[in-house]
């Protein structure tokens, strides 16, 4: 009997001690060891809803940088921008779903229609160009691009074929191949539109390049190209080059690229630097150094600052065939000079603002205005400076994997020339 009471008192004592310990831990804010575990807030997987052509592993690749990120601090606008940068997916919603093993990043998208004929219409003071290119911007569902087509107009005709493979696996490069040929009727002018040279050429150009992404922002690439230019008959030649050219080129390049989404517009920051050495086979060689930069910074959703600059510098060893390789004003990222204007070297800058007007199912309409300035040098113009305002209306397409279409007006204060232009299938 005595032992029975001893055992009962011991059990009751142990029970009271446990209650006391639990009570003390509760008062001090401490928790027993098994309750100290917290849910895993790291992103452990990525899911897509709405894919019908793009392969899931291809859609996930640009978002792998978010795996392991803390979901409580994740910026969903960064996720949105990464999806839009694929150019073939339009995000509809982004969710963070908690599970016992972690957080699922679930993205509902519209898989854009990417197989279509692209009409290219260019119309302005310098003439017109009409073209049709059969394009697949999501070939085989792996975000590759295949293009086949041609165009004709006042400047002649061209036919081209292109294939571009987008990097879709870690530590794997992208590559591209390009072939173009055609007849060009060139009429080079100065900034006033006065004729400086008129001649015709047959041109064949091919290239193969590779690009390797070191990080999500930095990539490097290199390309080799072959160019053959032959002078041909022109009905009224004026100051033509004295001969054609044939060369092989090697072009290494570096680029930085990041993007952001403000809820209305996708803004980009791009910096690219390229060096090219063109080895002449029947003509002297030359070097080319080019720089391009784009800086878009939103102030409010749908309202942003647009900055662009471009520069190119050529060194020629011969001044008879260099006329064939002068650049158009697009090398300077400006629009105030005629498309027929040519120069050997450029340095241009454009600064302005852009405001969205409205967004609908098929895209966003915006208006932008900027001030542009450009220095140039070439045999036609000598050392030249031009500046003036530029304005355009842009429509960014959301359901088609096609950049934009727009209409622009540009005024050069130094020449007094007003220009206008319409484009489709090309982002201005």
């Amino acid at each position: 009997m005595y032992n029975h009471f001893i055992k009962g008192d011991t059990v009751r004592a142990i029970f009271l001690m446990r209650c006391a310990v639990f009570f003390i831990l509760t008062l001090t804010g401490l928790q027993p060891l098994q309750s100290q575990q917290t849910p895993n807030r790291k992103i452990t997987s990525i899911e897509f809803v709405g894919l019908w052509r793009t392969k899931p592993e291809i859609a996930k690749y640009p978002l792998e940088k978010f795996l392991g990120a803390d979901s409580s601090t994740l910026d969903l606008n960064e996720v949105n921008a990464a999806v839009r940068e694929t150019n073939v997916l339009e995000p509809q919603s982004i969710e963070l779903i908690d599970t016992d093993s972690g957080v699922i990043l679930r993205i509902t998208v519209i898989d854009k229609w990417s197989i279509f004929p692209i009409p290219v219409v260019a119309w302005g003071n310098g003439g017109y160009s009409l073209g049709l290119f059969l394009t697949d911007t999501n070939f085989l569902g792996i975000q590759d691009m295949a293009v086949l087509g041609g165009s004709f107009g006042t400047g002649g005709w061209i036919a081209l074929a292109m294939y571009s493979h987008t990097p879709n696996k870690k530590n794997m490069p992208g590559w591209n191949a390009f072939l173009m040929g055609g007849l060009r009727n060139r009429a080079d002018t100065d900034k006033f539109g006065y004729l400086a040279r008129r001649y015709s050429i047959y041109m064949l150009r091919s290239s193969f390049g590779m690009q390797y992404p070191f990080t999500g922002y930095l990539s490097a690439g290199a390309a080799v190209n072959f160019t053959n230019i032959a002078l041909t008959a022109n009905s009224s030649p004026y100051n033509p080059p004295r001969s054609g050219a044939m060369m092989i080129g090697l072009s290494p390049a570096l680029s930085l690229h990041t993007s952001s989404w403000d809820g209305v517009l996708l803004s980009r920051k791009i910096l690219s630097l390229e060096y090219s050495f063109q080895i002449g086979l029947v003509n002297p060689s030359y070097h080319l150094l080019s720089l391009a930069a784009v800086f878009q910074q939103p102030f409010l959703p749908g309202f942003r600052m647009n900055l662009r600059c471009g520069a190119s510098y050529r060194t020629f060893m011969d001044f008879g065939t260099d006329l064939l390789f002068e650049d158009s004003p697009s090398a300077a990222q400006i629009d105030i000079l005629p498309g027929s204007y040519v120069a050997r070297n450029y340095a241009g800058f454009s600064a302005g603002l852009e405001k969205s007007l409205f967004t609908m199912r098929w895209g966003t309409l915006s208006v932008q205005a900027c001030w542009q300035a450009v220095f140039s040098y070439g045999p036609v113009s000598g050392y030249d400076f031009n500046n003036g305002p530029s304005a355009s209306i842009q429509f960014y397409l959301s359901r088609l994997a096609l950049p934009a279409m727009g209409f622009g007006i540009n005024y050069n204060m130094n020449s007094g020339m007003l220009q206008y232009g319409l484009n489709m299938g090309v982002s201005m």
Side-chain angles (χ1 to χ4, degrees), residues 96-161:
L96 296 172
I97 302 173
D98 289 311
T99 67
D100 293 337
S101 59
V103 178
I104 299 173
L105 178 59
R106 179 175 293 170
I107 306 160
T108 301
V109 298
I110 292 176
D111 211 334
K112 294 183 181 181
W113 185 256
S114 58
I115 305 175
F116 43 75
I118 298 180
V120 176
V121 179
W123 166 64
N125 303 65
Y128 74 93
S129 179
L130 302 174
L132 184 64
F133 296 86
L134 301 177
T135 305
D136 187 349
T137 59
N138 193 9
F139 188 69
L140 300 177
I142 59 176
Q143 295 181 28
D144 285 6
M145 176 183 288
V147 180
L148 180 66
S151 67
F152 70 93
T154 52
W157 63 267
I158 63 167
L160 69 84

Side-chain angles (χ1 to χ4, degrees), residues 317-338:
M317 299 176 63
D318 177 78
F319 295 96
T321 58
D322 64 336
L323 307 180
L324 298 169
F325 302 103
E326 292 183 306
D327 268 334
S328 67
S330 60
Q333 299 284 312
I334 56 95
D335 309 296
I336 57 174
L337 287 170

Side-chain angles (χ1 to χ4, degrees), residues 164-197:
S164 177
H165 173 65
T166 302
N168 53 33
K169 293 181 180 179
K170 193 172 183 180
N171 300 323
M172 292 297 291
W175 57 270
N176 61 82
F178 175 83
L179 177 64
M180 180 183 72
L183 170 67
R184 290 193 62 190
N185 298 315
R186 291 189 54 166
D188 301 339
T189 69
D190 62 11
K191 66 183 179 183
F192 300 100
Y194 296 137
L195 183 67
R197 293 188 294 263

Side-chain angles (χ1 to χ4, degrees), residues 9 33 102 391:
D9 291 340
L33 181 61

Side-chain angles (χ1 to χ4, degrees), residues 25-76:
L25 290 174
T26 302
L27 289 178
T28 58
L30 299 175
Q31 297 294 329
L33 181 61
Q34 62 269 23
S35 64
Q36 289 181 358
Q37 299 176 354
T38 58
N40 183 5
R41 296 291 298 164
K42 302 293 185 181
I43 295 176
T44 55
S45 65
I46 300 171
E47 293 181 357
F48 275 88
V49 178
L51 297 178
W52 66 273
R53 189 169 188 230
T54 305
K55 295 182 178 180
E57 64 272 17
I58 301 301
K60 292 177 184 178
Y61 173 69
L63 304 182
E64 288 181 355
K65 60 185 177 181
F66 299 113
L67 287 174
D70 189 339
S71 61
S72 62
T73 59
L74 181 67
D75 187 347
L76 296 185

